[in-house]
Amino acid sequence: MRDFIVKILLRLGLYRPMIAFINQIKFKQQVRKMRKNGLEMLQMADQAFTSMGVQAFLTFGTLLGAYRDKGFIAYDPDVDLGVIDGNLPKNMYEVMAKHGFQLCKQNIISEKKQVIEDTYIYKGIHLDVFHYFEEGGDYYTLVAQLHETKDWKEANATDGFPCEKVSVVKTEFQRQNFMNIDVYMPIKTHEWLVDMYSESYMTPIKNWSEDDHKTRRSKSTERSYRKLY
């Protein structure tokens, strides 16, 4: 029945508006949970990664909030961390589980069997961990997007999801104070935020969308697939 309804909605051009409406409801629920337990989750995630010798650093919206707003962005529904791929321990998921993080989804480039993003749940909140890769004098990560025409189940079973490539200048990471806890951030935070959001990143955009940036973000030829747990 679900697949039949989805096909009708796709044919009528109503699938994306419906998904946007559902996501908006989920978004508001997540924002409320973030206000309650977001900082605790970030602290626990930092402890988990530190215990493994991994520098998990703030990225995307969480990094923007830390630099511009000195805290979480008021309407941010989750926490974004980054890790440098290639140095991650084999028991990473077991250690995360011991710290209360349930792995619920991975985005994977199946041809390379390469994980580009892990999503965990902690007390009902999502923690997105983006894998960064070295490329010359840069780091880059891949961010999965909605399929061009298909619903997620059909896309996952066929040609996968388009990806956006986000490139940032290579830098070291150091601990900085964030809401009275110390977490890793890129030393070149300003440069990263320009790369991610353009020179205007200091101006808040409440209804920010994927069309509101474009500096060093571009379409990738890679396609990703979701693995659910």
Side-chain angles (χ1 to χ4, degrees):
M1 177 61 74
R2 175 202 174 275
D3 293 342
F4 174 76
I5 294 173
V6 166
K7 287 181 180 179
I8 296 298
L9 292 172
L10 283 168
R11 190 175 301 168
L12 295 175
L14 297 176
Y15 177 73
R16 283 179 177 266
M18 183 195 71
I19 293 299
F21 175 73
I22 293 173
N23 286 342
Q24 187 64 25
I25 294 174
K26 292 180 179 178
F27 179 90
K28 291 179 179 179
Q29 294 172 340
Q30 287 296 107
V31 168
R32 288 195 292 269
K33 292 177 181 178
M34 266 290 293
R35 289 172 181 168
K36 182 178 180 181
N37 293 316
L39 186 62
E40 176 188 328
M41 179 176 72
L42 177 58
Q43 188 170 25
M44 290 301 296
D46 178 75
Q47 289 178 12
F49 281 109
T50 298
S51 73
M52 295 181 273
V54 175
Q55 293 182 344
F57 47 86
L58 304 191
T59 189
F60 291 119
T62 308
L63 180 64
L64 175 61
Y67 189 82
R68 186 188 67 196
D69 303 337
K70 310 306 178 187
F72 293 119
I73 296 174
Y75 45 85
D76 203 346
D78 55 25
V79 170
D80 300 321
L81 292 179
V83 293
I84 303 301
D85 197 86
N87 299 317
L88 302 176
K90 293 181 179 179
N91 68 337
M92 180 174 73
Y93 300 111
E94 289 85 350
V95 174
M96 293 297 289
K98 289 179 180 178
H99 283 78
F101 291 88
Q102 176 189 351
L103 181 65
C104 66
K105 183 182 72 174
Q106 290 180 311
N107 287 326
I108 299 172
I109 305 299
S110 62
E111 293 82 359
K112 301 177 180 178
K113 296 182 179 179
Q114 185 177 75
V115 176
I116 59 173
E117 180 186 354
D118 298 309
T119 298
Y120 299 90
I121 295 177
Y122 180 92
K123 293 190 176 180
I125 313 171
H126 282 183
L127 169 68
D128 293 328
V129 180
F130 295 89
H131 292 227
Y132 279 75
F133 308 89
E134 292 190 41
E135 185 177 64
D138 291 331
Y139 290 130
Y140 76 89
T141 189
L142 297 170
V143 181
Q145 308 292 300
L146 290 175
H147 193 278
E148 295 86 346
T149 59
K150 301 174 183 177
D151 83 296
W152 78 266
K153 282 192 173 182
E154 183 182 0
N156 214 42
T158 55
D159 58 331
F161 303 88
C163 291
E164 186 178 57
K165 182 178 182 179
V166 183
S167 298
V168 291
V169 64
K170 190 174 179 179
T171 186
E172 298 295 324
F173 306 94
Q174 66 181 13
R175 285 197 171 277
Q176 299 184 47
N177 184 270
F178 174 78
M179 299 178 70
N180 296 320
I181 66 172
D182 288 336
V183 293
Y184 283 105
M185 300 186 199
I187 291 177
K188 296 183 178 181
T189 291
H190 167 72
E191 290 85 347
W192 272 43
L193 292 172
V194 170
D195 288 344
M196 292 173 174
Y197 299 111
S198 84
E199 293 280 357
S200 63
Y201 72 84
M202 289 298 288
T203 302
I205 303 175
K206 184 172 183 179
N207 296 314
W208 185 88
S209 74
E210 294 296 329
D211 299 321
D212 287 320
H213 53 65
K214 306 310 179 191
T215 304
R216 301 193 65 198
R217 302 171 71 133
S218 59
K219 289 184 178 180
S220 170
T221 58
E222 303 280 13
R223 308 285 290 192
S224 70
Y225 295 81
R226 298 179 186 178
K227 184 177 180 180
L228 304 180
Y229 293 85

